Amino acid sequence: MEIKLYLQQVYEELHAHPELSLEEVWTAGFVADELRGMGFSVSTQVGGHGVVGLLDLGGAGLTLALRCDMDALPITEETGADFASRNPGAMHACGHDSHMAMVLAACRYAAENRGRLRGKLLAIFQPAEEVGAGAKAMLEAGLFRQQKPDRLVAIHNLPGLATGMLGLQSGPLTAYTDRFKVTFCGVGGHGAIPHKTKDPIAMATAGVQNALALTHRRRDPSLPGVLSFGVIQGGTSFNIIPERVTLEGTVRTVQADDRELMIRLLHQAFQAAADLHGGSYQLEYTRGVPAVVNNAGVVQELSGFFASQIPEVPVASEGLASLIGEDVSYFLQEVPGVLLYIGSGREGAVNELHNPRFLVPRETLITGYKALASVIEGYLSKEGGLPGQEE
């Protein structure tokens, strides 16, 4: 089957059968069957529904890992596509279907060209990315215990980048994605007699203002970072001062030290607010996935592969960082690698991930396949490769 047709057929089949995080049973079976048909040895149920394929190409060489994610989102699709979701309330609105199609096509490329390749290709199909659980679970299940790769390349489509382009940037690319919940405790009472209460609404109001002021004035403004409040809950009636008020929010930073500073500043802000009104506070801080940091050396290697093998494909190298979360960061803490962006933005289309009308265009599939094939050639070709790969 011609590769463009294979890409589109696999993409449409996966798009039509989305499965939510931790429920990727059909998806895992589909991927495993495809890999086995190409000659990969396959492990399933790795850290949940994770699938890992290994193709031993023979000879001395690197082990290259390609990673993609498998889970869909709890969204009702509104694209009107003839291959739209057949699973009510679930949709591949983040493009994970396209990621799997591109990696499977790259695996097929390696299998069909194995005679002139060497080393090993490790294909990682990760579950539960949307809930930040899959990568860590796969590592805890021993993903790299027997076969630790020398390089890892993960992919994600990016609607903010034009279709037909690649995005490859050194350094921090995503953020530490933490969440917090703070509860202010006081003494409730009648709204007409506030002096006999210890008002947690007043504490919460001061706490928000203190936290925003401190984080704006005490952090290095050259470092990306966000503090946002998303939930405030408290009270039952207009004339009753409640006993408790709860706030929830998120903290996004790109450096571990900055994350620790933000935690200290939240404590200071909330303590001051509680003290001001004679109450107390309790802070629950949950550390989320770490920041993705692209390895500068691997970025340089891939840039060289793209320039020599697919010079017609433009590569953006800056302006790609954001404060979203991506749990491939756990893999990149273990193995030198990168998160490679594949442009999926189109004029006149819905260019927003997690949108019920978002679809990955066909050209994105082709561009991603070209990029991954050139990565395979660059690292695993007998004629090419890196220094020290000689037989």
Side-chain angles (χ1 to χ4, degrees), residues 273-325:
D275 289 347
L276 182 63
H277 296 280
S280 62
Y281 80 98
Q282 297 173 344
L283 176 62
E284 302 171 35
Y285 194 95
T286 304
R287 297 169 189 264
V289 301
V292 168
V293 181
N294 279 351
N295 182 281
V298 179
V299 167
Q300 186 175 10
E301 291 164 1
L302 263 60
S303 296
F305 301 155
F306 298 154
S308 63
Q309 298 180 52
I310 48 172
E312 73 280 5
V313 177
V315 182
S317 59
E318 58 184 21
L320 302 172
S322 73
L323 296 176
I324 64 170

Side-chain angles (χ1 to χ4, degrees), residues 35-382:
L35 290 172
R36 291 191 188 102
M38 299 173 195
F40 281 71
S41 60
V42 178
S43 300
T44 59
Q45 296 184 317
V46 181
H49 298 301
V51 178
V52 181
L54 179 65
L55 184 65
D56 191 339
L57 300 162
L62 297 176
T63 296
L64 168 65
L66 302 180
R67 175 268 192 184
C68 62
D69 33 22
M70 301 195 299
D71 51 333
L73 289 159
I75 291 175
T76 298
E77 183 163 353
E78 299 177 10
T79 64
D82 56 7
F83 54 91
S85 171
R86 299 176 191 171
N87 297 338
M91 177 190 174
H92 271 299
C94 198
H96 294 186
D97 45 0
S98 72
H99 306 162
M100 289 184 279
M102 288 183 271
V103 170
L104 282 171
C107 290
R108 176 177 155 174
Y109 176 88
E112 291 178 347
N113 292 277
R114 62 185 305 162
R116 52 190 190 76
L117 302 175
R118 60 178 171 177
K120 296 177 181 177
L121 179 63
L122 191 69
I124 302 170
F125 292 80
Q126 181 207 307
E129 185 277 331
E130 293 291 353
V131 295
K136 193 172 184 180
M138 292 188 83
L139 287 172
E140 291 173 348
L143 173 63
F144 295 152
R145 202 167 294 149
Q146 293 184 335
Q147 190 66 59
K148 188 170 185 177
D150 299 288
R151 297 288 189 274
L152 186 144
V153 176
I155 57 170
H156 204 295
N157 82 94
L158 187 65
L161 194 65
T163 298
M165 293 186 66
L166 297 173
L168 182 61
Q169 179 173 314
S170 295
L173 197 64
T174 70
Y176 289 90
T177 56
D178 301 345
R179 63 184 297 177
F180 64 88
K181 177 179 179 180
V182 58
T183 301
F184 289 98
C185 305
V187 176
H190 200 295
I193 315 173
H195 61 287
K196 292 187 177 181
T197 71
K198 296 178 180 178
D199 189 347
I201 290 180
M203 297 176 209
T205 302
V208 170
Q209 294 174 331
N210 290 348
L212 292 174
L214 277 178
T215 55
H216 285 157
R217 307 310 298 175
R218 295 277 299 279
R219 289 183 59 255
D220 183 343
S222 68
L223 295 175
V226 164
L227 165 67
S228 293
F229 291 88
V231 174
I232 180 166
Q233 295 177 329
T236 57
S237 177
F238 77 98
N239 63 347
I240 301 173
I241 293 174
E243 295 275 320
R244 294 170 177 266
V245 171
T246 299
L247 303 170
E248 295 183 55
T250 185
V251 171
R252 306 293 174 106
T253 55
V254 298
Q255 293 188 357
D257 289 348
D258 202 28
R259 170 197 247 179
E260 299 306 317
L261 173 61
M262 291 286 271
I263 295 172
R264 294 196 300 272
L265 292 178
L266 287 180
H267 276 292
Q268 291 178 24
F270 299 149
Q271 182 70 66
D275 289 347
L276 182 63
H277 296 280
S280 62
Y281 80 98
Q282 297 173 344
L283 176 62
E284 302 171 35
Y285 194 95
T286 304
R287 297 169 189 264
V289 301
V292 168
V293 181
N294 279 351
N295 182 281
V298 179
V299 167
Q300 186 175 10
E301 291 164 1
L302 263 60
S303 296
F305 301 155
F306 298 154
S308 63
Q309 298 180 52
I310 48 172
E312 73 280 5
V313 177
V315 182
S317 59
E318 58 184 21
L320 302 172
S322 73
L323 296 176
I324 64 170
E326 231 292 357
D327 72 345
V328 74
S329 53
Y330 288 112
F331 293 156
L332 296 178
Q333 289 181 334
E334 302 289 326
V335 177
V338 300
L339 175 59
L340 172 67
Y341 284 140
I342 318 294
S344 58
R346 291 179 296 169
E347 187 174 351
V350 174
N351 294 315
E352 293 292 338
L353 299 176
H354 296 210
N355 185 290
R357 293 178 297 281
F358 175 71
L359 283 174
V360 175
R362 182 188 301 255
E363 188 179 351
T364 296
L365 304 175
I366 297 168
T367 302
Y369 166 73
K370 287 181 178 179
L372 292 178
S374 69
V375 170
I376 290 171
E377 284 288 338
Y379 283 127
L380 303 180
S381 171
K382 290 179 180 178

